[in-house]
């Protein structure tokens, strides 16, 4: 846990130092405390700090959301991005933008994205039903995310001009570039509220290990818990999508990285997963700046490229359980 | 402390519009093991689920004169412990942490930070079920019999005056079946009201103080084993005859078609 926190802090400093003008961690720290010359201070504080802070905040939110979904559904293959939450949030935001209801810096954007995420996760939990097995969940997730993707495609299809379509497409790729403190201020309150909601339910996740019936007999209000978790995940995922576009698979990977370290207890997994998510996204964001390429690689593309093979690996590992079908 | 008293009056449960339990009236008191028997689909599980609050019911179920549905969630969870079928455990937590979940209704959320009194009750529950040596093993790696005993320990750790167990001996080998029934018997001897759903008429006869026979959602017979499982009841409810004997001071009943 402490090691994870240190890792995050280290990556955070590296993230502040990387870019067209490379700065050493020492220079970064000097710039942060205001002792460096003007140019370094401007670069660090105004260009890179918002980006690095957003990376940490969003990574943590996504890692926490993934751990919470896995706890709620008692399923190591659960994650918001597999259930279409980011895609639906993106549709909410895109629809708001393309209908001209709001500009890219208004609070209407996170609200629309949160609504999209909420509806998608809610739909998933309703369709898959109580105590759903792996196969049912993943199939329903596939359906929900395809629907959200189709709806977004429709919005692009109907876009008034090619530039608007291009803007939507770029935004769907997910990126932390050129974000300001304004973006951070727009998303952070929602992400904090969502995270607080999820962490407050940690003991209920542990009781759910015994299944919904036994958890109910222990005094857990399972129906309310489900709504709270859907709400918490939607707040976090919706707010992050609203400022960076879709960044997927952090929520799936982070808890898996933590289980060998802190065990399977779904309650004790929450905070380490948040830290691992922050470290992962910061790492990915650093990588987009290091990998040489003619155009910038978007961080959302990179996390999906890493995340999907990881997902396949998990499927192989869980194959026995998946094959049995009814179990899970 | 006087014995707990659970009274069902005209209890009816409907699932999807179909009545699965109809006008069940039954009085049960602490210190007794009540075996709830009946053919498949007789409504046994539905009775337990209604008492836990997992199914809505009509009629009344009162615990020491107070309606169960009027209790708040936490108080109900403290007073009625429930062992569902199947002994689900989704994560490989150590058995001790699973048992500690029994203290959740008493405000203990984190199994690594139990109050001394909670830790003592968890240890006692593991002693009663002979699971102390399994404490550090991941529950998902235990055998079916070991898992059943850990699940039972979790229920005992609630230290509720009413214990509901749904087919606690299903899928267990004979020695585990007897171990589980003996543990439930001891819980009853220590003052709890234990209601156990079972298909095993032999175990019901040997360990039960009272047997309640359900058929088609209605109470077909109830009373001491010899009375409730009379030849006439066995024939009309189960369609079987019985071989009866006595062994080591206990009644023996073997269904014989």
């Amino acid at each position: 846990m402490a090691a994870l926190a240190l890792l995050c802090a280290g990556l955070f400093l590296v993230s502040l130092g990387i870019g067209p003008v490379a700065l050493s961690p020492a220079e970064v720290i000097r710039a942060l405390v205001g002792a460096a010359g003007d140019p370094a201070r401007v670069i660090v504080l105004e260009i890179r700090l918002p980006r690095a802070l957003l990376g940490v905040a969003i990574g943590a939110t996504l890692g926490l959301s993934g751990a919470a979904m896995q706890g709620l559904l008692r399923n190591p293959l659960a994650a918001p991005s597999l259930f279409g939450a980011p895609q639906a949030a993106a549709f909410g935001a895109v629809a708001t933008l393309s209908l001209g209801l709001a500009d890219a810096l208004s609070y209407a954007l996170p609200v629309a994205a949160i609504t999209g995420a909420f509806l998608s996760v809610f739909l998933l939990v309703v369709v898959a039903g109580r105590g759903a097995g792996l196969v049912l969940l993943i199939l329903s997730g596939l359906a929900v995310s395809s629907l959200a993707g189709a709806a977004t495609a429709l919005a692009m299809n109907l876009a008034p001009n090619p530039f608007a379509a291009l803007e939507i497409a770029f935004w769907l790729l997910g990126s932390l570039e050129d974000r300001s403190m304004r973006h951070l201020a727009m998303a952070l309150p929602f992400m904090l509220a969502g995270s607080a909601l999820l962490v407050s339910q940690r003991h209920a996740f542990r009781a759910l290990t015994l299944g919904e019936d036994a958890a109910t007999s222990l005094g857990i209000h399972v129906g309310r818990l489900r709504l709270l978790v859907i709400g918490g995940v939607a707040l976090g995922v919706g707010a992050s999508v609203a400022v960076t576009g879709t960044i997927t698979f952090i929520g799936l990977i982070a808890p898996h990285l933590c289980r060998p370290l802190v065990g399977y207890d779904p309650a004790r997994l929450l905070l380490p997963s948040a830290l691992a998510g922050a470290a992962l996204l910061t790492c990915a964001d650093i990588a987009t700046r290091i990998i040489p390429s003619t155009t910038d690689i978007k961080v959302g593309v990179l996390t999906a490229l890493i995340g999907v093979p990881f997902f396949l690996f998990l499927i192989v590992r869980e194959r026995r359980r998946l094959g049995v079908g009814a179990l899970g | 402390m006087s014995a707990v008293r659970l009274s069902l009056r005209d209890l009816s449960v409907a699932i999807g519009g179909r009545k699965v339990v109809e006008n069940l009236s039954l009085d049960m008191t602490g210190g007794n093991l009540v075996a709830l028997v009946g053919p498949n689909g007789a409504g046994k599980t539905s009775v337990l689920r209604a008492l836990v609050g997992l199914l809505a019911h009509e009629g009344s179920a009162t615990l020491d004169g107070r309606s169960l549905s009027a209790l708040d969630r936490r108080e109900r969870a403290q007073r009625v412990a429930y062992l569902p079928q199947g002994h689900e455990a989704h994560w490989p937590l150590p058995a001790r942490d699973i048992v500690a979940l029994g203290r959740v209704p008493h405000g203990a959320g984190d199994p690594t930070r139990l109050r001394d009194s909670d830790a003592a009750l968890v240890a006692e529950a593991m002693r009663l079920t002979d699971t102390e040596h399994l404490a550090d093993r991941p529950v998902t790696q235990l055998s079916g019999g070991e898992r059943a005993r850990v699940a039972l320990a979790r229920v005992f750790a609630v230290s509720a005056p009413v214990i509901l167990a749904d087919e606690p001996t299903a899928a267990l080998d004979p020695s585990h079946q007897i171990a589980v029934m003996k543990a439930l018997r001891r819980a009853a001897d220590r003052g709890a009201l234990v209601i156990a759903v079972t298909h095993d008429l032999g175990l019901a006869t040997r360990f039960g103080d009272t047997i309640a026979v359900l058929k088609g959602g209605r109470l077909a017979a109830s009373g001491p084993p010899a009375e409730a499982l009379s030849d006439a009841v066995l024939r009309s409810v189960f369609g079987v005859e019985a071989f009866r004997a006595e062994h080591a001071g206990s009644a023996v009943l073997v269904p014989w078609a």
Side-chain angles (χ1 to χ4, degrees), chain A residues 11 15 51 54-60 62 176 240 244 247-248 250 275-289 299-300 302-303:
Chain A
L11 286 169
S15 172
R51 176 179 191 161
L54 266 179
V56 167
I58 289 175
L62 296 179
L176 292 166
S240 35
T244 62
I247 294 174
T248 49
I250 299 282
L275 290 174
L280 268 175
L281 187 56
T282 306
C283 237
D285 189 39
I286 291 171
T288 61
R289 280 175 276 172
V299 72
L302 196 65
T303 60

Side-chain angles (χ1 to χ4, degrees), chain B residues 56-111:
Chain B
H57 65 82
E58 285 171 30
S60 73
T62 54
L63 191 61
D64 290 335
R66 293 175 63 196
S67 167
L68 274 182
S69 15
L71 299 180
D72 71 38
R73 268 172 192 284
R74 187 160 166 181
E75 195 179 350
R76 189 170 183 161
Q78 289 171 356
R79 311 214 63 194
V80 180
Y82 174 51
L83 177 67
Q85 281 179 43
H87 316 135
E88 273 179 72
H90 292 274
W91 303 111
L93 300 189
R96 183 191 292 108
D97 289 5
I98 291 288
V99 178
L101 287 173
R103 300 310 296 164
V104 166
H106 301 272
D110 189 342

Side-chain angles (χ1 to χ4, degrees), chain B:
Chain B
M1 194 181 87
S2 64
V4 68
R5 185 177 178 80
L6 180 64
S7 300
L8 314 184
R9 287 281 168 277
D10 292 321
L11 188 86
S12 296
V13 179
I15 299 178
R18 197 174 66 87
K19 276 209 167 161
V20 290
V21 178
E22 271 191 271
N23 301 326
L24 175 65
S25 294
L26 203 55
D27 285 299
M28 295 164 280
T29 49
N32 286 294
L33 195 159
V34 179
L36 198 53
V37 303
N40 288 321
K44 309 179 294 291
T45 294
S46 298
V47 171
L48 296 196
R49 290 174 62 85
L51 294 179
V52 180
L54 288 163
L55 286 175
H57 65 82
E58 285 171 30
S60 73
T62 54
L63 191 61
D64 290 335
R66 293 175 63 196
S67 167
L68 274 182
S69 15
L71 299 180
D72 71 38
R73 268 172 192 284
R74 187 160 166 181
E75 195 179 350
R76 189 170 183 161
Q78 289 171 356
R79 311 214 63 194
V80 180
Y82 174 51
L83 177 67
Q85 281 179 43
H87 316 135
E88 273 179 72
H90 292 274
W91 303 111
L93 300 189
R96 183 191 292 108
D97 289 5
I98 291 288
V99 178
L101 287 173
R103 300 310 296 164
V104 166
H106 301 272
D110 189 342
T112 55
R113 283 180 213 151
L114 291 181
R115 289 181 297 250
D116 288 348
S117 55
D118 287 327
L121 286 163
V122 168
E124 172 72 357
M126 297 189 80
R127 196 183 61 74
L128 284 171
T129 50
D130 190 23
T131 50
E132 293 145 304
H133 61 292
L134 306 174
D136 296 315
R137 299 258 310 273
V139 68
T140 45
Q141 287 174 17
L142 301 179
S143 75
E146 290 168 338
R147 235 165 115 160
R149 273 150 53 208
V150 169
L152 192 60
R154 194 275 298 166
V155 168
F156 286 168
V158 180
S159 50
V162 179
I163 295 173
L164 310 177
D166 198 351
E167 296 200 27
T169 59
L172 298 186
D173 62 43
S175 85
H176 275 112
Q177 291 184 16
I178 291 168
V180 163
M181 289 309 289
K182 278 188 171 166
L184 286 171
R185 178 71 256 172
R186 274 197 299 272
D189 292 340
R190 288 150 57 100
L193 166 62
V194 177
I195 307 178
V197 165
T198 180
H199 281 296
D200 192 317
L201 303 181
L203 291 176
T205 301
R206 177 173 167 193
F207 291 102
D209 298 296
T210 304
I211 295 189
V213 184
L214 285 185
K215 187 192 183 190
R218 293 174 172 279
L219 191 64
S222 75
E227 210 175 285
L229 292 178
S230 67
D231 288 343
V233 170
L234 285 179
R235 216 173 299 128
S236 69
V237 174
F238 296 96
V240 297
E241 305 286 327
F243 165 79
R244 293 173 198 274
E246 222 185 86
H247 179 73
S250 297
V252 174
L253 184 153
V254 180
W256 203 273

Side-chain angles (χ1 to χ4, degrees), chain A residues 292-311:
Chain A
S293 65
T294 43
T295 34
D296 277 347
I297 296 176
K298 305 288 179 200
V299 72
V301 177
L302 196 65
T303 60
L305 277 177
I306 298 167
V308 176
F310 186 80
F311 182 45

Side-chain angles (χ1 to χ4, degrees), chain A residues 128-227:
Chain A
R130 283 168 56 96
L134 277 170
V135 176
L136 194 55
L137 275 173
I138 288 170
L139 283 179
S140 322
L142 180 67
V144 172
S145 59
S146 304
L147 180 65
T152 309
L154 179 68
M156 279 172 75
N157 198 176
L158 298 179
N161 58 62
F163 296 108
L166 198 64
E167 201 174 312
I168 292 173
F170 261 100
W171 195 62
L172 286 183
L173 298 178
S175 170
L176 292 166
E177 265 168 74
D178 303 329
R179 297 300 188 269
S180 65
M181 284 299 181
R182 181 79 202 273
H183 287 101
L184 188 66
M186 201 162 93
L188 201 58
F190 297 107
M191 295 196 289
L192 286 177
S195 301
L197 209 55
L198 296 178
V199 171
S200 72
Q201 299 303 311
R202 62 191 180 283
H203 295 318
F205 294 134
R206 186 182 284 126
L208 266 183
T209 302
L210 300 172
E212 296 191 357
D213 287 355
T216 304
S217 80
L218 290 172
I220 307 290
H221 194 326
V222 177
R224 200 188 60 182
L225 172 70
R226 224 179 276 142
L227 273 181

